[in-house]
Amino acid sequence: MFTNDGGMVTVFLNSLKMVSGSKLGLAGLVVFIVCLGVAVFAPVLAPYQPLEKNYDAAGKLMKLHPPSVQHPLGTTLLGRDVFSQVIWGARPALIIGLSTAAGVILIGVNIGLISGYYGGWIDNLLMRITDIFMGVPFLPFIIVMLSLTGRSMVTVIFAMVIIMWRSTARVIRSQVLTLRERPFVDAARISGASGLKIIYVEIAPNILPIALVNVAFALAWAIITEASIGFLGFSDPDVMSWGTIIYRSFASQMSYKAWWWVVPPGAAIMVLVTAVYFIGRAYEEMINPRLQKI
Amino acid sequence: MLKYLVNRILFMVLTIYVLATLMFFMFRLLPGDPTMTVISSAMSPKAQEAMKRQYGLDKPLYRQYTAYLNNIVHLDFGYSFQHSRRVSQMIAGRMLNTLLLILPSMIAAYALGVIMGAFIAYKRGGRTEISSVILATAFQSAPVFWIGMLCIFIFSVHLDIFPLGHILSPGMHYGKSALAKYLSLDFFHHFALPFTVITAYNICFPMLLMRSSMLETFGEDFIELCKMKGMGEKRIIYKHAMRNSFLPIATTLPLILGWAVAGSVVIETVFSWPGLGLLMVEAVQCSDYPVVQACFLMIAVLTIVGNFVADLLYGILDPRIVYK
Amino acid sequence: MIDVIDLKKYFPVVSGIRSLFSRSRGKVVKAVDSVSFQIETGQVLGLVGESGCGKSTTGRVLLDLEQPTSGDILINGESGRALKKKNRKTYYRRIQMIFQDPYGSINPQHNVASILSRPLMYQGIRDKTIIRDKMLETLDRVGLSPPEAFLEKYPHLLSGGQRQRLCIGRAIILEPEFLVADEPISMLDVSIKSGIIILLKRLVREQNLSLLYITHDLATVGHLCDKIAIMYMGRIVEIGPTDDVLDRPGHPYTRALISSIPIPDPSITRSGAPISGAISDPVNLPSGCRFHPRCPYAENLCRQREPVSAAVKDNPEHGAACFLTDKLPGFDLTKGHRC
Ligand SMILES: Nc1ncnc2c1ncn2[C@@H]1O[C@H](COP(=O)(O)OP(=O)(O)OP(=O)(O)O)[C@@H](O)[C@H]1O
Ligand SMILES: [Mg+2]
């Protein structure tokens, strides 16, 4: 979509190289890859099914058992293994997070590009729409939407994308505003390039680094938001996400008796999101050398 | 300036109108029919008709829409499905509770965040900087409801310093005066923990931003110039670098304010804080749609007004901005 | 043969909805005001003037980067207006431009091959081998050799001079009939400037094109230009063969410009008045001749009426827009300014 030089792949590989140049970035990258691995190999890694009820030798339901060798992170009120739930929880977190980030970038970048390049009434219209979206309280909006449409993963992603593109669009637009004044845009125009060609061939590759930074931040934000939706009980009830685990413990009013039910899923969110932030920050510092320590 | 203000206020009204319209059509057109929750098909057809008439659902859509807008202008959100009370009565006090929690903690977070950010930028390159950056990022990455639950677990359940939640202890009476209620020790006792959690959570963002913004300013030529002029480093930081670095942070204020108001939904749930967010979550759970609509619009109004105030503040801070 | 006819470009001082309420409503900057000139095939016209006089705007309007207010260009007899209307893309096969800034006018994300191939691809050429041959030929022609070594390079590896050569290559790869070069050497190191001038001179001869060479520096035009046009506040005040204009300037402004060229030899002093005062307000133009507030010879007539171009010393090739051309004191400029 961007260039036919394989530029996009090059930029992406370069960015990985740049990120791993910083210690924190490298650490983030490693953690993120580990999380990806956990999500992919969840069926192998998890000792139990996430919704499986566990009984002890005497055939009694293992209600709220503290951590033990069999159940390294204890069990829930319904005798489910917390460790397995946390392992499986990496899947919805990453699937929802990555799809949301992709959707956000796709919409945000395109609106930013078109708005910034064409200017005039198109820009005015798009930016007023963005401003209106800025006034939408995102979590309440998502809750209302989910309560009206059903709670599958797809609707969760859709609801988040609808709201979250707004800040990306603004960031990209302000970049495009300066880029479109650069002489190489005039040079492309007199080569016979159409408006769309100028946007996607000339300008887009130059905002790719900023778009990538935004992918990281959108991903982090999407994972936390998805957890909040889960915590409020609006996630897909059949999918054991980290937010949903915390919701179950909170709703059962046992969260303050069984710490092992609450701490691990929250810590998992924290570790994954921190890793994503570190990756984003490291990359941001690389493309904006003034942020580096002097 | 006056023209700018008028424009800006008109746009605020437009935004609220658009959101209200959005709500109306979302509730009417999305698959889940909210009226089904109160008008059960088990009722006799006659009773169903009567119910529909009572809620104005027998009229054509556009009449319902104009009536809805008219009611909103008069701050009339109808009756709650659940409690048979006027919705406007239910939300008035709730809004105040939300503001009482969000505003002080956001102000504290920004003030502390800026100072701490400047401090770690001053300590650049050292251990302090690295460890604060890591800590702040990790803290910011944790879901705020989880941090709230951990704090309740430690400070309320184990150490028993703070109450488990709510805004006042049950059964306490403070006479008719609301002021006495909000100035009572009991209130502050309940307020302390959620306030601290929100403040601590929201410090991270301005702090990290202030740090990078300061580092950027340090690189700029005029700081070099100050050094050449022989100013002390502390003086440079406080007089020049901080002032210059503050602007980019001020631009983020509306965004963060928006997050905080919207995030009140989870925070109030964790702390059982009787604000708009909690009311909304409860109303959604029992499909009390008039209340949901009203809460959503009120939270939106808070967000929008917050954006507006932040914009004005920014204009005051940045002398380069001239209102046209 | 390029024929620019009565080209005008007026910028509104305020634009958009705000212009309905502003006090400056309807006011314009006449950046280019009735500019006409001709360039023979294989010849170079130098367009010279102070900063802000409208040189770049003239070039940009010709390339349709700004909408002209009025006027037209004939490229070998064909109307540019009609060509653009028929197909904007093919218009750019006939006219191309070289920009001032060799750093800003190259997209940093594209390598040399894609910079050079884009114009061809936009013109509908798809054949990979044709494109490659054309690119190699062009690189060679602009002095980037060996051409194969440059194809895969990204711009940040190129020096300023190499970048400008690449820009020239991009402009000539479509074999245009008319080339506009907007101060192509002003941002380059002194040591490489003459190389670019020599390259341009060779290309004009080899490719049989017409070149409009825009510069604010009179000292360099002698090497390259067959004719020069002197521009002042949107108007061409003097135009003619290079030698005639430099040796027998018919306009006080031209004289002032020539006088301000530094002379390498300190023993030579110059006659003629140096320019005084600053350029006038472009929005509220002075009455009569635009140059009169700064002109040492200005008379009453100059303040009242605007002069039209007239032949200097009965040379029909050489025109100046001044009432006083014949009355000006003798201009004895010691040769040597054209090194
Ligand atoms: N897009 C524009 N909008 C409004 N005014 C403009 C615009 N572009 C140029 N101008 C005005 O037109 C006049 C001529 O500008 P132009 O750039 O053509 O000058 P120039 O001779 O190329 O100067 P320089 O030597 O500095 O490049 C100036 O007064 C400028 O302010
Ligand atoms: Mg110019």
Side-chain angles (χ1 to χ4, degrees):
Chain A
M1 172 185 143
F2 287 103
T3 65
N4 49 11
D5 308 318
M8 199 159 152
V9 179
T10 321
V11 172
F12 184 70
L13 290 180
N14 274 344
S15 63
L16 281 189
K17 215 184 289 169
M18 282 158 103
V19 167
S20 47
S22 115
K23 267 187 209 146
L24 288 182
L26 185 63
L29 219 49
V30 169
V31 172
F32 186 73
I33 291 169
V34 168
C35 284
L36 269 181
V38 168
V40 172
F41 298 109
V44 185
L45 293 173
Y48 306 92
Q49 286 298 308
L51 296 180
E52 178 185 344
K53 288 178 179 166
N54 294 289
Y55 298 89
D56 61 11
K60 247 181 78 194
L61 188 67
M62 296 180 75
K63 261 193 194 174
L64 291 181
H65 277 218
S68 61
V69 182
Q70 270 168 322
H71 299 281
L73 294 177
T75 60
T76 72
L77 188 62
L78 293 176
R80 291 165 175 163
D81 181 49
V82 176
F83 179 67
S84 303
Q85 290 192 339
V86 172
I87 298 268
W88 278 91
R91 277 195 173 184
L94 283 169
I95 292 175
I96 293 178
L98 289 171
S99 328
T100 306
V104 165
I105 293 303
L106 202 69
I107 298 182
V109 164
N110 281 299
I111 290 200
L113 279 171
I114 289 169
S115 188
Y117 177 74
Y118 285 109
W121 68 267
I122 296 180
D123 181 38
N124 247 323
L125 180 72
L126 288 176
M127 281 305 112
R128 290 297 82 77
I129 292 175
T130 312
D131 284 347
I132 287 178
F133 270 90
M134 281 294 187
V136 179
F138 74 100
L139 212 40
F141 176 83
I142 291 171
I143 291 170
V144 171
M145 243 192 91
L146 291 177
S147 73
L148 289 171
T149 55
R151 300 169 183 185
S152 70
M153 265 214 269
V154 178
T155 44
V156 172
I157 294 167
F158 182 74
M160 288 205 282
V161 170
I162 275 197
I163 294 295
M164 281 171 55
W165 60 268
R166 56 191 188 186
S167 36
T168 305
R170 277 193 165 182
V171 172
I172 298 295
R173 171 180 172 271
S174 67
Q175 285 291 319
V176 175
L177 281 184
T178 60
L179 278 170
R180 73 161 185 193
E181 299 300 329
R182 300 264 290 272
F184 69 74
V185 171
D186 282 338
R189 200 167 293 145
I190 65 169
S191 315
S194 61
L196 286 179
K197 281 263 164 54
I198 290 176
I199 292 179
Y200 290 109
V201 177
E202 303 290 333
I203 296 181
N206 287 287
I207 52 141
L208 203 57
I210 290 142
L212 280 179
V213 169
N214 264 270
V215 170
F217 293 147
L219 175 59
W221 192 233
I223 294 171
I224 294 192
T225 306
E226 189 270 331
S228 307
I229 296 169
F231 169 71
L232 294 173
F234 292 97
S235 278
D236 190 338
D238 300 329
V239 177
M240 206 32 89
S241 76
W242 291 331
T244 313
I245 303 175
I246 302 177
Y247 163 67
R248 294 276 164 89
S249 82
F250 186 72
S252 69
Q253 308 203 323
M254 291 298 152
S255 49
Y256 302 128
K257 296 198 177 73
W259 60 266
W260 57 87
W261 194 359
V262 179
V263 174
I269 298 169
M270 183 163 106
V271 169
L272 177 55
V273 175
T274 309
V276 173
Y277 268 130
F278 279 153
I279 296 172
R281 286 259 161 69
Y283 187 50
E284 195 179 24
E285 287 185 4
M286 289 292 160
I287 61 172
N288 182 1
R290 283 163 87 200
L291 288 179
Q292 281 168 24
K293 284 167 233 112
I294 303 157
Chain B
M1 175 75 194
L2 190 71
K3 216 163 115 192
Y4 172 82
L5 270 181
V6 171
N7 267 337
R8 198 69 180 66
I9 289 169
L10 281 181
F11 189 71
M12 268 167 50
V13 174
L14 174 73
T15 309
I16 292 167
Y17 163 75
V18 170
L19 290 187
T21 306
L22 188 76
M23 276 294 113
F24 178 84
F25 285 104
M26 265 171 76
F27 278 98
R28 297 301 185 285
L29 300 181
L30 284 181
D33 183 355
T35 56
M36 293 314 286
T37 55
V38 272
I39 308 172
S40 103
S41 45
M43 290 188 211
S44 74
K46 232 185 188 160
Q48 283 191 30
E49 280 302 306
M51 282 292 267
K52 278 196 174 166
R53 214 169 309 124
Q54 187 193 333
Y55 290 109
L57 296 172
D58 54 337
K59 300 202 184 75
L61 201 61
Y62 79 95
R63 291 282 299 278
Q64 288 183 40
Y65 176 59
T66 46
Y68 164 83
L69 287 184
N70 186 35
N71 288 343
I72 284 184
V73 172
H74 296 103
L75 288 179
D76 174 8
F77 298 100
Y79 286 87
S80 157
F81 287 171
Q82 203 70 24
H83 302 285
S84 309
R85 279 174 64 198
R86 288 202 87 84
V87 175
S88 42
Q89 271 174 0
M90 290 172 68
I91 60 173
R94 295 296 191 113
M95 190 150 162
L96 182 64
N97 289 348
T98 295
L99 279 178
L100 276 177
L101 187 58
I102 298 292
L103 270 188
S105 37
M106 285 312 286
I107 292 169
Y110 257 76
L112 288 173
V114 165
I115 294 169
M116 286 163 67
F119 180 73
I120 54 174
Y122 173 62
K123 293 269 179 195
R124 64 194 180 280
R127 271 242 176 91
T128 328
E129 190 200 12
I130 286 290
S131 46
S132 335
V133 168
I134 296 180
L135 263 179
T137 310
F139 200 65
Q140 186 188 19
S141 305
V144 64
F145 56 86
W146 181 69
I147 293 177
M149 285 170 76
L150 292 190
C151 289
I152 292 177
F153 184 71
I154 296 170
F155 297 105
S156 307
V157 177
H158 267 261
L159 302 177
D160 201 15
I161 306 175
F162 298 109
L164 267 171
H166 297 287
I167 192 166
L168 293 168
S169 306
M172 302 273 272
H173 291 286
Y174 301 93
K176 282 268 172 269
S177 155
L179 200 64
K181 187 169 109 185
Y182 289 120
L183 285 177
S184 69
L185 263 181
D186 190 40
F187 171 77
F188 283 107
H189 192 204
H190 285 83
F191 174 74
L193 195 58
F195 169 78
T196 316
V197 168
I198 302 176
T199 306
Y201 187 71
N202 284 307
I203 277 180
C204 303
F205 186 83
M207 178 174 116
L208 293 171
L209 196 65
M210 184 70 185
R211 167 188 164 264
S212 47
S213 167
M214 287 279 283
L215 289 184
E216 244 180 284
T217 318
F218 279 137
E220 272 175 25
D221 300 339
F222 80 89
I223 298 280
E224 301 281 309
L225 216 69
C226 294
K227 276 194 182 157
M228 274 194 280
K229 275 202 269 176
M231 284 192 202
E233 187 156 22
K234 278 226 169 83
R235 181 134 168 254
I236 295 172
I237 290 193
Y238 291 115
K239 257 198 102 172
H240 296 271
M242 259 183 94
R243 201 188 298 164
N244 276 286
S245 316
F246 192 65
L247 282 174
I249 298 189
T251 45
T252 64
L253 192 63
L255 204 66
I256 302 295
L257 213 63
W259 291 354
V261 173
S264 65
V265 176
V266 275
I267 275 289
E268 288 174 4
T269 305
V270 174
F271 287 98
S272 315
W273 186 266
L276 276 178
L278 183 61
L279 181 66
M280 176 161 173
V281 172
E282 287 167 351
V284 173
Q285 273 157 0
C286 55
S287 303
D288 192 349
Y289 289 102
V291 178
V292 175
Q293 259 177 354
C295 286
F296 179 84
L297 280 181
M298 283 301 124
I299 294 177
V301 167
L302 286 186
T303 314
I304 292 163
V305 173
N307 283 355
F308 172 65
V309 174
D311 267 7
L312 286 189
L313 270 182
Y314 182 61
I316 292 167
L317 281 172
D318 189 351
R320 282 170 303 188
I321 289 194
V322 184
Y323 292 107
K324 289 189 210 109
Chain C
M1 168 89 174
I2 300 303
D3 201 346
V4 171
I5 308 160
D6 201 25
L7 197 66
K8 287 184 186 165
K9 177 64 193 178
Y10 297 171
F11 289 111
V13 175
V14 285
S15 60
I17 294 180
R18 234 179 289 145
S19 61
L20 295 178
F21 309 105
S22 169
R23 230 182 300 156
S24 314
R25 168 177 35 160
K27 291 216 169 134
V28 291
V29 176
K30 296 185 175 177
V32 179
D33 198 8
S34 293
V35 163
S36 305
F37 54 81
Q38 284 149 16
I39 313 176
E40 303 288 338
T41 302
Q43 293 224 325
V44 183
L45 172 69
L47 185 61
V48 188
E50 281 171 294
S51 181
C53 70
K55 307 180 299 287
S56 296
T57 307
T58 306
R60 293 174 61 80
V61 169
L62 289 175
L63 269 293
D64 207 35
L65 290 171
E66 308 275 3
Q67 285 288 317
T69 306
S70 71
D72 199 0
I73 172 177
L74 298 181
I75 305 174
N76 290 327
E78 285 189 71
S79 151
R81 208 169 262 273
L83 281 170
K84 273 180 280 183
K85 209 176 214 171
K86 215 165 70 191
N87 190 340
R88 251 180 72 86
K89 272 188 196 169
T90 52
Y91 180 63
Y92 290 126
R93 282 192 186 192
R94 324 206 40 177
I95 174 166
Q96 276 295 322
M97 181 161 179
I98 301 161
F99 295 90
Q100 180 174 11
D101 174 8
Y103 292 89
S105 58
I106 295 181
N107 194 330
Q109 301 291 336
H110 292 167
N111 63 11
V112 171
S114 84
I115 289 164
L116 284 180
S117 62
R118 285 258 142 66
L120 296 170
M121 283 173 7
Y122 292 144
Q123 298 300 336
I125 300 170
R126 290 265 172 270
D127 190 321
K128 286 251 158 68
T129 50
I130 294 182
I131 292 181
R132 194 180 155 83
D133 290 348
K134 190 78 204 167
M135 289 197 294
L136 294 176
E137 181 201 324
T138 306
L139 282 172
D140 195 47
R141 187 161 281 177
V142 297
L144 292 175
S145 54
E148 288 84 0
F150 281 93
L151 279 184
E152 296 302 317
K153 276 196 180 163
Y154 276 86
H156 61 92
L157 298 173
L158 303 181
S159 70
Q162 288 175 326
R163 278 164 174 265
Q164 199 56 296
R165 282 170 190 271
L166 178 60
C167 290
I168 295 173
R170 171 174 62 190
I172 62 162
I173 199 164
L174 294 174
E175 297 173 4
E177 293 147 61
F178 182 30
L179 192 59
V180 176
D182 188 358
E183 312 207 27
I185 58 168
S186 68
M187 290 181 73
L188 300 178
D189 265 10
V190 185
S191 55
I192 43 183
K193 285 186 180 190
S194 66
I196 299 287
I197 294 287
I198 292 167
L199 171 65
L200 283 173
K201 203 166 180 172
R202 209 188 66 221
L203 288 173
V204 168
R205 226 179 315 114
E206 285 176 4
Q207 307 237 356
N208 245 336
L209 44 74
S210 309
L211 174 66
L212 176 66
Y213 178 77
I214 295 173
T215 180
H216 62 264
D217 184 7
L218 250 188
T220 58
V221 294
H223 304 283
L224 181 64
C225 304
D226 304 291
K227 277 166 63 177
I228 50 180
I230 309 290
M231 199 166 180
Y232 185 75
M233 294 191 83
R235 280 267 160 104
I236 288 183
V237 294
E238 180 157 10
I239 187 167
T242 308
D243 290 332
D244 291 335
V245 173
L246 290 184
D247 297 341
R248 289 173 290 281
H251 198 285
Y253 179 61
T254 314
R255 293 184 164 210
L257 280 184
I258 296 172
S259 311
S260 60
I261 300 173
I263 305 177
D265 184 347
S267 64
I268 303 170
T269 49
R270 251 179 203 152
S271 64
I275 206 157
S276 64
I279 203 159
S280 308
D281 174 10
V283 180
N284 303 304
L285 289 173
S287 64
C289 173
R290 292 171 194 200
F291 187 58
H292 87 249
R294 298 167 83 188
C295 183
Y297 313 108
E299 294 177 355
N300 257 340
L301 180 65
C302 304
R303 295 185 188 94
Q304 285 154 9
R305 282 184 33 214
E306 207 166 352
V308 289
S309 189
V312 179
K313 301 230 186 315
D314 295 325
N315 178 355
E317 294 275 286
H318 183 186
C322 179
F323 294 118
L324 308 171
T325 304
D326 297 329
K327 296 191 220 157
L328 292 178
F331 187 68
D332 173 28
L333 184 68
T334 327
K335 300 271 183 189
H337 62 276
R338 291 160 58 193
C339 14

